[in-house]
Amino acid sequence: CRIEYHFGEFGNYSLVVKTLSTSTQTVSCDLIINEGPINSYLPILFAFLVYMGILAILIAGRLLMKIDPVRNWVYKKLNPRETDRMINSELGSPNTTDSINSDPTPPSWSTGSRQRLRSLDTFRGLSLVIMVFVNYGGGKYWFFKHESWNGKLHFPSALFSRFVFIMGTSIALALGSMLRWGSSKWKVLRKILWRSFVLILLGIIVVNPNYCLGPLSWDNLRIPGVLQRLGFTYLVVAALELLFTRADSGTWEGRFPALQDILPYWPQWIFILVLETIWLCLTFLLPVPDCPRGYLGPGGIGDFGKYPNCTGGAAGYVDRLLLGEKHMYQHPSSGVIYQSTMPYDPEGILGTINSIVMAFLGLQAGKITLFYKDQPKQIMSRFIIWGMVMGIISAILTKCSKEEGFIPINKNLWSISYVTTMSCFAFILFWLIYYLVDVKKWWSGAPFLYPGMNSILVYVGHQVFANYFPFKWKMQDSQSHAEHLTQNLTATTLWVVIAYILYRRRIFWKI
């Protein structure tokens, strides 16, 4: 039987096969619907209408604020103050003060120094809010789940990579600001080392909770993780930028002024190319016991079960060799479909090399905003060009296919094609947000601006309190999309509200 049919969720079906003629081997295939499916997308529609209603109320409130008596009364009650200069955004975000330096604010403030790149905080906050929603369950929808191995890019596939990209952009802006305020490179380097250490330590604490499981065994301590990767990536990229950055971001007087954000930093590009060459050599040339050289598959029953213990190829082997199987993630997403049993860590060592490349591309976006300051057309055109270049490289590496390319897109491996594809999307999305928020000022960045300014607090908080009320409660129907979506959206919205309250009170958790 060959039948094409779209099966609905929670439906009950029967396939009836009858032989019509034994001589001609003719059969009939009838699909019977025993119980009709549900419309699983109605909760999304309802949630969309609710949030649009909230947005309409906020817009109406903004219009009321344009009425002088109403505005004066509200201002008198709230007594708002300028908070931007109090902000020390996470991961080296651009700000008016030294985001790593704890020295007192310089006494004099120029108009230019008080301008904050709100689009960057908005970009970071947008990625963070979606990340929190996905980590909380994403309403139990399939398109909010991580891809098991190679394949289509669902929402979760892009979130962490965008965060890495934004971190690189923030480094370019923050380091230049610190050096302009007179901080020595040695002092900045000490701050970079301290911040990296704290991020890695926080990451180890977050991914190894033991409040419900009793004393934590050091023998089973997971070493890699999201914050660990961010911390190490930050260390490498920030140190690399500190080594070659200049206190002034004026026009380069070389032969090709149109490439002033690239050519003066050619040693950085050589370093990144060498780093990527190391990844390619280890991935495709390192001999892995009982596995084919250059294997990029999921192991288990993948590839017809030929390589059950080869999950991740060289990437998995390097982690097991250097970290040990018990210090890695024990339940990789590949086990869902491919039934792989080998531990595999998606934040492992080889993938961290490509996360450095991703942050470096974000660093390039930051340099563009520095070198072409007050030239929005130049900035946007370069964002588009970089996005197109990354897209072309991805098309070549993948041959525009899921499995047949030279290097498939794979979030678990953090393959170089995944990095270039995500960078393409990041440049385009950054271009759009920059245009709406900083150029045209059609959008203030709210509500994503607020969690973007307290990103470490929101990320750590949502992990630590994930199983506590009001972020989670017992549901009547564990299979209901409506209940899951309500719970996950409520938890995510609460963190946005918390970030807004902290913003109003000028409380920003810095490292």
Side-chain angles (χ1 to χ4, degrees):
C1 295
R2 289 187 176 273
I3 296 178
E4 291 186 5
Y5 187 82
H6 180 75
F7 294 95
E9 198 167 13
F10 300 115
N12 188 288
Y13 306 88
S14 294
L15 179 63
V16 179
V17 182
K18 295 181 180 179
T19 302
L20 300 179
S21 172
T22 55
S23 59
T24 60
Q25 296 183 346
T26 305
V27 297
S28 68
C29 306
D30 298 313
L31 191 68
I32 300 175
I33 302 175
N34 303 319
E35 184 177 346
I38 66 169
N39 189 339
S40 58
Y41 300 107
L42 280 178
I44 295 180
L45 176 60
F46 182 75
F48 174 78
L49 294 176
V50 169
Y51 279 94
M52 287 299 100
I54 295 174
L55 178 61
I57 293 173
L58 294 175
I59 293 175
R62 177 177 286 271
L63 294 175
L64 286 174
M65 287 292 290
K66 293 183 178 181
I67 302 175
D68 289 342
V70 176
R71 183 176 64 252
N72 293 336
W73 181 84
V74 172
Y75 281 178
K76 184 178 180 180
K77 293 294 182 182
L78 297 180
N79 189 27
R81 296 179 180 179
E82 177 66 35
T83 60
D84 282 354
R85 63 178 181 174
M86 302 292 293
I87 292 166
N88 283 287
S89 185
E90 276 62 56
L91 303 179
S93 171
N95 47 57
T96 56
T97 62
D98 184 342
S99 64
I100 299 180
N101 193 353
S102 58
D103 290 345
T105 303
S108 62
W109 289 82
S110 65
T111 304
S113 67
R114 300 186 65 169
Q115 295 299 318
R116 184 179 179 83
L117 196 63
R118 297 174 69 91
S119 56
L120 184 62
D121 289 316
T122 304
F123 192 2
R124 182 192 292 113
L126 174 63
S127 301
L128 180 61
V129 167
I130 301 176
M131 182 188 294
V132 170
F133 173 68
V134 168
N135 288 347
Y136 277 149
K140 212 174 176 64
Y141 287 100
W142 64 270
F143 42 80
F144 287 128
K145 296 183 182 295
H146 292 283
E147 186 67 50
S148 291
W149 204 248
N150 298 338
K152 294 178 289 186
L153 297 172
H154 300 163
F155 278 103
S157 302
L159 300 176
F160 183 30
S161 62
R162 288 177 189 167
F163 218 77
V164 174
F165 182 91
I166 298 164
M167 181 178 67
T169 307
S170 303
I171 289 172
L173 300 173
L175 293 188
S177 174
M178 285 184 285
L179 294 179
R180 285 194 299 274
W181 285 120
S183 298
S184 68
K185 286 192 174 185
W186 284 110
K187 186 174 184 179
V188 175
L189 180 60
R190 288 196 298 270
K191 297 295 181 180
I192 291 172
L193 292 171
W194 172 251
R195 171 167 286 186
S196 302
F197 169 75
V198 173
L199 281 173
I200 293 171
L201 181 62
L202 273 176
I204 292 176
I205 293 173
V206 167
V207 299
N208 291 285
N210 68 329
Y211 46 84
C212 294
L213 304 177
L216 180 66
S217 171
W218 292 102
D219 294 334
N220 298 318
L221 182 78
R222 182 187 172 192
I223 297 176
V226 170
L227 289 179
Q228 297 93 305
R229 174 169 284 184
L230 284 174
F232 188 78
T233 301
Y234 175 81
L235 173 63
V236 175
V237 177
L240 184 65
E241 175 65 6
L242 180 64
L243 186 62
F244 296 99
T245 193
R246 298 178 296 171
D248 64 313
S249 57
T251 304
W252 184 53
E253 298 180 354
R255 293 182 58 185
F256 303 100
L259 300 176
Q260 59 178 314
D261 54 326
I262 300 177
L263 293 182
Y265 302 96
W266 60 267
Q268 293 181 342
W269 285 95
I270 291 178
F271 177 85
I272 292 299
L273 290 175
V274 169
L275 207 59
E276 188 55 37
T277 301
I278 292 174
W279 182 85
L280 290 170
C281 290
L282 289 174
T283 300
F284 292 101
L285 301 179
L286 181 69
V288 179
D290 301 321
C291 300
R293 189 166 296 186
Y295 180 72
L296 299 176
I301 62 174
D303 303 293
F304 303 101
K306 294 179 181 178
Y307 318 111
N309 298 323
C310 298
T311 303
Y317 175 67
V318 169
D319 289 341
R320 291 190 292 270
L321 185 66
L322 300 181
L323 302 177
E325 289 188 9
K326 293 186 178 181
H327 297 293
M328 300 165 54
Y329 189 52
Q330 300 298 309
H331 307 288
S333 58
S334 59
V336 176
I337 292 180
Y338 299 101
Q339 301 177 22
S340 56
T341 57
M342 293 295 292
Y344 179 80
D345 209 303
E347 279 78 50
I349 296 173
L350 285 192
T352 303
I353 293 178
N354 280 343
S355 75
I356 293 172
V357 177
M358 182 84 185
F360 183 76
L361 292 171
L363 182 78
Q364 187 61 39
K367 289 178 181 177
I368 290 172
T369 61
L370 281 176
F371 282 94
Y372 301 98
K373 186 179 179 181
D374 301 324
Q375 302 179 61
K377 290 184 178 180
Q378 294 280 7
I379 292 174
M380 291 189 295
S381 63
R382 279 164 171 76
F383 283 174
I384 292 294
I385 291 172
W386 274 98
M388 292 174 61
V389 170
M390 292 297 106
I392 292 171
I393 294 174
S394 296
I396 295 172
L397 292 176
T398 63
K399 296 182 180 179
C400 299
S401 67
K402 176 180 177 180
E403 305 282 356
E404 303 301 323
F406 300 107
I407 304 177
I409 295 174
N410 189 299
K411 180 187 178 296
N412 289 279
L413 293 171
W414 266 72
S415 61
I416 186 59
S417 58
Y418 169 78
V419 169
T420 54
T421 302
M422 292 297 97
S423 297
C424 169
F425 294 152
F427 273 112
I428 300 301
L429 183 57
F430 195 8
W431 166 83
L432 178 61
I433 296 176
Y434 174 74
Y435 179 75
L436 294 175
V437 175
D438 285 317
V439 178
K440 290 297 184 181
K441 303 188 185 302
W442 290 339
W443 179 27
S444 66
F448 306 113
L449 179 73
Y450 311 122
M453 290 181 171
N454 246 326
S455 56
I456 293 299
L457 185 146
V458 172
Y459 180 82
V460 173
H462 101 277
Q463 291 274 28
V464 172
F465 297 102
N467 295 316
Y468 290 89
F469 182 83
F471 305 103
K472 190 173 183 179
W473 58 84
K474 184 177 181 180
M475 290 178 285
Q476 297 296 322
D477 183 1
S478 62
Q479 298 299 316
S480 169
H481 283 297
E483 289 192 54
H484 276 279
L485 190 63
T486 300
Q487 185 181 89
N488 302 154
L489 285 176
T490 299
T492 305
T493 304
L494 282 173
W495 282 113
V496 174
V497 172
I498 291 171
Y500 174 73
I501 293 173
L502 294 175
Y503 170 83
R504 297 298 305 179
R505 294 181 177 273
R506 303 187 299 281
I507 299 174
F508 303 96
W509 186 24
K510 64 177 182 177
I511 295 176

